Amino acid sequence: DAKTTQPPSMDCAEGRAANLPCNHSTISGNEYVYWYRQIHSQGPQYIIHGLKNNETNEMASLIITEDRKSSTLILPHATLRDTAVYYCIVSSSNTGKLIFGQGTTLQVKP
Amino acid sequence: DTGVSQNPRHKITKRGQNVTFRCDPISEHNRLYWYRQTLGQGPEFLTYFQNEAQLEKSRLLSDRFSAERPKGSFSTLEIQRTEQGDSAMYLCASSLGGHTPYEQYFGPGTRLTVT
C-alpha cells in the first residue's frame, strides 16, 4: 500500500501558484519524498525529491515539514500544460522502487 | 522524450497468446524497472534489475510473467497465456542506481489489450 495520502483532485487558475499537499506520517529516517507527475497517456515524469530540507528546481519547489510527516509541492506559475496527475511517493534509496498511490489530479483552468 | 524507449507502443492480442515487450533504457543507467498501470490507477511495481541481475519481483508477477535483461542493456517482459486481466499499460523506467537518491526516467509505455 502507498505510504502517502493526497487529495484526489484540485483546481488551480492559470498563472497562479498550485500548492499540492501530501501526508506521509509513517515516513522513515532513510526515506526520501519524491514527486512525479503523469500527463494523460504518457509515462510518469520526475519533478523533484527531498529528504529534510526544502528543495527547488526549475520545475517546482518542495516544502517538507520539520517533523517530515507532510510536504507540499509548489508549482509557482501554473500553466495549462501542468494539468496532470501528481504523485507523492516515499522511497528508500536501497531499491529505488516507487510505490504509487492514487495521486492528485490537478486541473489548471484558464 | 526521456531517452527510454518501449516497443511496441500498442499491442492487441487474443486471450491465450504470448506477448513480449521490449524496453531500451538510457545507456548509462544500470537500474531498470517494470511497472503496470490499469485505468484510473497509479503504476504498480512489477520487478527491477540492477545490470543483468533481477533483484526483486512483486507478487503481482505471476508465473506467466518473465522478465530478462541480458548483458544489462535492454530488457524484455514476456506474458504467456495472456488473460483479459492482463490488459494494462506496461511502463519501463531506468535510473542510475547507487547510494544517493536518483530519479527514474519512464518510457512512453506499451498498452496491451487482450480480447
Side-chain angles (χ1 to χ4, degrees):
Chain A
D1 290 339
K3 298 192 241 183
T4 62
T5 304
Q6 299 177 253
S9 64
M10 293 181 64
D11 289 342
C12 178
E14 188 179 20
R16 304 296 294 268
N19 296 277
L20 292 88
C22 179
N23 287 320
H24 31 80
S25 58
T26 61
I27 192 169
S28 304
N30 67 341
E31 288 183 315
Y32 289 79
V33 179
Y34 290 85
W35 283 83
Y36 281 76
R37 72 179 182 184
Q38 189 171 24
I39 296 169
H40 184 61
S41 297
Q42 297 182 21
Q45 176 191 22
Y46 166 83
I47 302 173
I48 199 167
H49 73 268
L51 183 62
K52 291 188 288 188
N53 300 321
N54 299 337
E55 303 288 345
T56 296
N57 62 21
E58 64 278 2
M59 288 183 68
S61 294
L62 174 60
I63 308 298
I64 302 175
T65 58
E66 194 168 341
D67 63 7
R68 302 209 323 125
K69 292 185 177 182
S70 66
S71 61
T72 301
L73 179 75
I74 301 172
L75 307 178
H77 306 287
T79 71
L80 298 178
R81 289 181 295 180
D82 291 322
T83 292
V85 179
Y86 287 77
Y87 296 101
C88 169
I89 301 162
V90 296
S91 177
S92 73
S93 61
N94 293 335
T95 67
K97 71 178 180 183
L98 302 173
I99 307 299
F100 290 80
Q102 298 283 70
T104 295
T105 299
L106 175 68
Q107 181 73 50
V108 180
K109 298 186 174 181
Chain B
D1 184 0
T2 63
V4 179
S5 61
Q6 292 187 247
N7 288 288
R9 293 292 307 277
H10 303 273
K11 178 70 177 179
I12 300 174
T13 191
K14 293 185 177 179
R15 187 164 52 99
Q17 298 294 305
N18 298 344
V19 294
T20 300
F21 311 139
R22 177 179 170 126
C23 170
D24 286 272
I26 294 171
S27 58
E28 62 267 29
H29 284 182
N30 58 346
R31 288 196 178 185
L32 187 147
Y33 302 81
W34 284 99
Y35 295 85
R36 180 176 69 185
Q37 185 173 26
T38 54
L39 205 60
Q41 303 297 314
E44 298 171 293
F45 169 79
L46 292 178
T47 188
Y48 96 96
F49 293 83
Q50 178 146 324
N51 300 311
E52 66 276 8
Q54 188 173 19
L55 296 185
E56 185 171 344
K57 293 194 291 186
S58 162
R59 57 182 172 80
L60 294 174
L61 215 64
S62 75
D63 292 344
R64 296 184 298 105
F65 288 71
S66 63
E68 293 182 341
R69 192 183 182 198
K71 302 179 182 179
S73 56
F74 70 92
S75 176
T76 58
L77 178 67
E78 180 184 16
I79 309 175
Q80 296 182 327
R81 306 181 302 282
T82 53
E83 302 173 355
Q84 287 187 321
D86 297 330
S87 294
M89 175 76 85
Y90 290 84
L91 293 159
C92 170
S94 71
S95 72
L96 198 58
H99 298 292
T100 55
Y102 38 79
E103 57 263 35
Q104 292 184 22
Y105 294 83
F106 283 79
T110 295
R111 182 166 297 283
L112 173 66
T113 302
V114 181
T115 62

